[in-house]
Amino acid sequence: MSAGLQRQPRLLTIEGGEGAGKSTVLRALRDALEAEGFEVVCTREPGGTPLAERIRALLLDPSHEPAAPETELLLMFAARAQHVREVVLPALQRGAWVVSDRFTDSSYAYQGAARGLDPAFIAELERRVVGIEPGLTLLLDLGVAHGRERTRGRDLLGGSSPDRIERESDEFFESVRAGFLQRAAQHPQRIRVLDASPDANQVAASALAALATYREARA
Protein backbone atom coordinates (compact mmCIF):
# COMPACT_ATOMS: atom_id res chain seq x y z
CA MET A 1 0.00 0.00 0.00
CA SER A 2 1.26 3.48 -0.86
CA ALA A 3 1.97 5.79 2.05
CA GLY A 4 -1.00 7.94 3.00
CA LEU A 5 -3.46 6.12 0.74
CA GLN A 6 -6.33 3.89 1.79
CA ARG A 7 -6.57 0.67 -0.22
CA GLN A 8 -10.07 0.02 -1.58
CA PRO A 9 -10.47 -3.72 -2.28
CA ARG A 10 -13.56 -3.27 -4.46
CA LEU A 11 -12.00 -0.59 -6.65
CA LEU A 12 -10.65 -2.14 -9.86
CA THR A 13 -8.80 0.01 -12.37
CA ILE A 14 -7.71 -0.69 -15.93
CA GLU A 15 -4.64 1.04 -17.33
CA GLY A 16 -2.69 0.96 -20.56
CA GLY A 17 -1.71 2.94 -23.63
CA GLU A 18 -3.85 3.86 -26.60
CA GLY A 19 -5.57 0.93 -28.29
CA ALA A 20 -4.88 -1.56 -25.51
CA GLY A 21 -8.51 -2.68 -25.24
CA LYS A 22 -9.50 -1.23 -21.87
CA SER A 23 -13.18 -0.90 -22.78
CA THR A 24 -13.47 -4.59 -23.68
CA VAL A 25 -11.86 -5.66 -20.40
CA LEU A 26 -14.06 -3.28 -18.42
CA ARG A 27 -17.20 -4.85 -19.89
CA ALA A 28 -15.92 -8.37 -19.15
CA LEU A 29 -15.22 -7.53 -15.50
CA ARG A 30 -18.59 -5.84 -15.14
CA ASP A 31 -20.48 -8.77 -16.62
CA ALA A 32 -18.66 -11.31 -14.44
CA LEU A 33 -19.34 -9.43 -11.20
CA GLU A 34 -22.94 -8.63 -12.09
CA ALA A 35 -23.51 -12.32 -12.88
CA GLU A 36 -22.72 -13.00 -9.21
CA GLY A 37 -25.29 -10.46 -8.08
CA PHE A 38 -22.99 -7.53 -7.25
CA GLU A 39 -23.73 -3.93 -8.03
CA VAL A 40 -21.04 -2.68 -10.39
CA VAL A 41 -20.35 0.96 -11.19
CA CYS A 42 -18.36 1.45 -14.40
CA THR A 43 -16.69 4.79 -14.90
CA ARG A 44 -13.72 6.48 -16.55
CA GLU A 45 -11.04 9.11 -16.13
CA PRO A 46 -10.80 11.89 -16.81
CA GLY A 47 -14.58 12.11 -16.47
CA GLY A 48 -17.25 10.17 -14.64
CA THR A 49 -19.38 13.14 -13.52
CA PRO A 50 -20.90 16.03 -15.54
CA LEU A 51 -18.29 18.49 -14.28
CA ALA A 52 -15.41 16.05 -14.72
CA GLU A 53 -16.60 15.27 -18.25
CA ARG A 54 -16.45 18.99 -19.08
CA ILE A 55 -12.87 19.05 -17.80
CA ARG A 56 -12.16 15.97 -19.97
CA ALA A 57 -13.47 17.77 -23.05
CA LEU A 58 -11.24 20.74 -22.28
CA LEU A 59 -8.20 18.51 -21.77
CA LEU A 60 -8.64 16.57 -25.00
CA ASP A 61 -9.70 19.42 -27.29
CA PRO A 62 -6.91 19.96 -29.85
CA SER A 63 -8.19 23.41 -30.89
CA HIS A 64 -6.75 25.45 -28.01
CA GLU A 65 -3.13 26.26 -27.27
CA PRO A 66 -0.98 23.40 -25.91
CA ALA A 67 -1.50 22.92 -22.19
CA ALA A 68 1.56 23.26 -19.99
CA PRO A 69 2.39 19.94 -18.31
CA GLU A 70 1.46 21.40 -14.92
CA THR A 71 -1.86 22.66 -16.31
CA GLU A 72 -2.65 19.23 -17.72
CA LEU A 73 -1.78 17.52 -14.44
CA LEU A 74 -3.83 19.89 -12.29
CA LEU A 75 -6.85 19.60 -14.58
CA MET A 76 -6.55 15.81 -14.41
CA PHE A 77 -6.56 15.93 -10.63
CA ALA A 78 -9.43 18.44 -10.56
CA ALA A 79 -11.52 15.97 -12.57
CA ARG A 80 -10.28 13.08 -10.40
CA ALA A 81 -11.20 14.86 -7.15
CA GLN A 82 -14.75 15.35 -8.38
CA HIS A 83 -14.93 11.78 -9.68
CA VAL A 84 -13.72 10.24 -6.41
CA ARG A 85 -16.07 12.24 -4.23
CA GLU A 86 -19.19 12.07 -6.39
CA VAL A 87 -18.93 8.57 -7.87
CA VAL A 88 -16.21 6.31 -6.51
CA LEU A 89 -16.47 6.77 -2.75
CA PRO A 90 -20.30 6.74 -2.57
CA ALA A 91 -20.39 3.49 -4.58
CA LEU A 92 -17.72 1.84 -2.44
CA GLN A 93 -19.43 2.95 0.76
CA ARG A 94 -22.66 1.21 -0.23
CA GLY A 95 -20.76 -2.00 -1.05
CA ALA A 96 -20.63 -1.79 -4.84
CA TRP A 97 -17.67 -2.72 -6.98
CA VAL A 98 -16.21 0.14 -9.01
CA VAL A 99 -14.42 -0.54 -12.30
CA SER A 100 -12.64 2.49 -13.72
CA ASP A 101 -11.08 2.97 -17.13
CA ARG A 102 -7.92 4.75 -15.87
CA PHE A 103 -7.12 6.18 -12.46
CA THR A 104 -4.12 7.84 -10.80
CA ASP A 105 -1.51 5.50 -12.34
CA SER A 106 -2.22 7.24 -15.66
CA SER A 107 -0.98 10.54 -14.24
CA TYR A 108 2.34 8.93 -13.29
CA ALA A 109 2.68 7.55 -16.82
CA TYR A 110 1.38 10.46 -18.93
CA GLN A 111 2.21 13.57 -16.93
CA GLY A 112 5.12 12.02 -15.01
CA ALA A 113 7.08 9.73 -17.32
CA ALA A 114 6.02 11.33 -20.64
CA ARG A 115 5.65 15.01 -19.67
CA GLY A 116 8.59 14.97 -17.27
CA LEU A 117 6.85 16.12 -14.10
CA ASP A 118 8.27 15.12 -10.72
CA PRO A 119 6.56 11.93 -9.47
CA ALA A 120 6.89 13.26 -5.91
CA PHE A 121 4.63 16.17 -6.91
CA ILE A 122 2.11 13.71 -8.38
CA ALA A 123 2.29 11.60 -5.22
CA GLU A 124 1.58 14.64 -3.06
CA LEU A 125 -1.48 15.48 -5.15
CA GLU A 126 -2.56 11.85 -4.94
CA ARG A 127 -2.37 11.90 -1.14
CA ARG A 128 -4.09 15.24 -0.71
CA VAL A 129 -6.69 15.10 -3.50
CA VAL A 130 -7.47 11.40 -3.99
CA GLY A 131 -6.58 9.62 -0.76
CA ILE A 132 -7.38 6.12 -2.03
CA GLU A 133 -5.83 3.51 -4.28
CA PRO A 134 -7.32 0.49 -6.07
CA GLY A 135 -7.27 -3.00 -4.69
CA LEU A 136 -6.36 -4.34 -8.13
CA THR A 137 -5.05 -2.62 -11.25
CA LEU A 138 -4.85 -4.44 -14.57
CA LEU A 139 -2.20 -2.97 -16.84
CA LEU A 140 -2.85 -3.89 -20.47
CA ASP A 141 0.59 -3.77 -22.03
CA LEU A 142 0.82 -3.28 -25.78
CA GLY A 143 3.57 -2.14 -28.14
CA VAL A 144 3.12 1.42 -29.35
CA ALA A 145 3.03 0.54 -33.06
CA HIS A 146 0.37 -2.11 -32.45
CA GLY A 147 -1.71 0.28 -30.38
CA ARG A 148 -1.41 3.00 -33.01
CA GLU A 149 -2.68 0.62 -35.68
CA ARG A 150 -5.69 -0.28 -33.55
CA THR A 151 -6.60 3.34 -32.86
CA ARG A 152 -6.28 4.25 -36.55
CA GLY A 153 -8.72 1.50 -37.44
CA ARG A 154 -11.10 2.57 -34.68
CA ASP A 155 -11.01 6.22 -35.77
CA LEU A 156 -11.67 5.30 -39.40
CA LEU A 157 -14.64 3.13 -38.48
CA GLY A 158 -16.06 5.70 -36.09
CA GLY A 159 -15.38 8.70 -38.26
CA SER A 160 -13.67 10.52 -35.40
CA SER A 161 -10.40 12.42 -35.44
CA PRO A 162 -7.64 11.92 -32.85
CA ASP A 163 -7.90 14.00 -29.68
CA ARG A 164 -5.09 16.19 -28.36
CA ILE A 165 -3.28 13.39 -26.52
CA GLU A 166 -3.81 10.80 -29.27
CA ARG A 167 -1.93 13.19 -31.61
CA GLU A 168 1.27 12.89 -29.58
CA SER A 169 4.39 11.27 -31.06
CA ASP A 170 5.42 7.63 -30.85
CA GLU A 171 8.26 8.71 -28.57
CA PHE A 172 5.72 10.19 -26.16
CA PHE A 173 3.78 6.93 -26.04
CA GLU A 174 6.95 4.89 -25.60
CA SER A 175 7.58 7.00 -22.49
CA VAL A 176 4.00 6.39 -21.34
CA ARG A 177 4.45 2.64 -21.74
CA ALA A 178 7.75 2.72 -19.85
CA GLY A 179 6.09 4.75 -17.09
CA PHE A 180 3.31 2.21 -16.69
CA LEU A 181 5.76 -0.69 -16.55
CA GLN A 182 7.81 1.17 -13.95
CA ARG A 183 4.67 1.63 -11.83
CA ALA A 184 3.96 -2.09 -12.13
CA ALA A 185 7.49 -2.91 -10.96
CA GLN A 186 7.06 -0.57 -7.98
CA HIS A 187 3.64 -1.98 -7.00
CA PRO A 188 3.70 -5.69 -7.88
CA GLN A 189 1.09 -6.62 -5.25
CA ARG A 190 -1.50 -4.30 -6.78
CA ILE A 191 -0.70 -4.06 -10.49
CA ARG A 192 -1.01 -7.11 -12.76
CA VAL A 193 0.56 -6.75 -16.21
CA LEU A 194 -1.44 -8.45 -18.97
CA ASP A 195 -0.27 -8.95 -22.55
CA ALA A 196 -2.78 -6.96 -24.63
CA SER A 197 -1.49 -8.09 -28.05
CA PRO A 198 -3.81 -11.12 -28.50
CA ASP A 199 -7.40 -10.71 -29.66
CA ALA A 200 -9.94 -9.04 -27.39
CA ASN A 201 -11.49 -12.28 -26.14
CA GLN A 202 -8.13 -13.65 -25.01
CA VAL A 203 -7.24 -10.43 -23.20
CA ALA A 204 -10.63 -10.40 -21.50
CA ALA A 205 -10.11 -14.01 -20.39
CA SER A 206 -6.73 -13.09 -18.90
CA ALA A 207 -8.36 -10.18 -17.05
CA LEU A 208 -11.07 -12.43 -15.63
CA ALA A 209 -8.45 -14.92 -14.48
CA ALA A 210 -6.54 -12.13 -12.74
CA LEU A 211 -9.73 -10.98 -11.02
CA ALA A 212 -10.48 -14.54 -9.86
CA THR A 213 -6.96 -14.93 -8.44
CA TYR A 214 -7.27 -11.58 -6.66
CA ARG A 215 -10.61 -12.49 -5.10
CA GLU A 216 -9.40 -15.91 -4.02
CA ALA A 217 -6.42 -14.32 -2.25
CA ARG A 218 -8.81 -12.04 -0.35
CA ALA A 219 -11.21 -14.80 0.65
Side-chain angles (χ1 to χ4, degrees):
M1 184 182 298
S2 300
L5 301 177
Q6 184 179 11
R7 179 73 58 88
Q8 298 292 332
R10 291 196 176 198
L11 174 57
L12 310 177
T13 60
I14 306 166
E15 299 284 4
E18 309 305 310
K22 297 185 303 299
S23 297
T24 300
V25 167
L26 184 147
R27 289 191 294 270
L29 297 178
R30 176 200 64 198
D31 292 349
L33 290 168
E34 285 184 343
E36 294 189 42
F38 294 110
E39 178 191 357
V40 182
V41 174
C42 293
T43 188
R44 69 175 183 175
E45 288 205 346
T49 79
L51 177 56
E53 289 290 336
R54 292 185 69 178
I55 298 173
R56 176 190 180 91
L58 180 64
L59 277 163
L60 300 183
D61 184 354
S63 66
H64 55 67
E65 79 274 14
E70 294 84 358
T71 302
E72 184 177 274
L73 178 69
L74 292 172
L75 284 172
M76 289 287 186
F77 270 96
R80 184 168 294 129
Q82 192 73 8
H83 180 228
V84 167
R85 281 152 187 77
E86 295 294 323
V87 175
V88 177
L89 286 178
L92 294 172
Q93 287 164 359
R94 65 176 182 264
W97 287 80
V98 177
V99 186
S100 184
D101 179 344
R102 298 199 184 284
F103 202 62
T104 314
D105 291 305
S106 278
S107 287
Y108 286 96
Y110 282 82
Q111 287 78 51
R115 299 289 190 212
L117 294 181
D118 185 354
F121 178 39
I122 300 173
E124 183 66 14
L125 288 172
E126 183 180 21
R127 286 191 295 272
R128 291 180 176 273
V129 175
V130 182
I132 61 173
E133 66 178 356
L136 174 66
T137 297
L138 301 179
L139 172 56
L140 309 186
D141 183 49
L142 184 68
V144 171
H146 194 169
R148 287 288 211 185
E149 188 59 35
R150 285 182 179 176
T151 56
R152 275 194 291 269
R154 180 188 66 197
D155 292 339
L156 288 172
L157 288 173
S160 61
S161 58
D163 63 39
R164 184 177 63 83
I165 291 180
E166 289 171 342
R167 297 182 184 206
E168 291 287 354
S169 68
D170 285 357
E171 290 77 13
F172 175 88
F173 288 111
E174 292 289 359
S175 296
V176 168
R177 185 186 185 193
F180 274 130
L181 292 173
Q182 182 180 34
R183 287 289 290 171
Q186 292 168 338
H187 301 275
Q189 299 304 313
R190 174 173 65 83
I191 302 177
R192 302 286 186 272
V193 181
L194 304 180
D195 180 6
S197 60
D199 66 52
N201 290 333
Q202 288 179 268
V203 178
S206 296
L208 291 174
L211 174 61
T213 299
Y214 167 70
R215 294 182 64 197
E216 288 168 6
R218 293 182 56 238

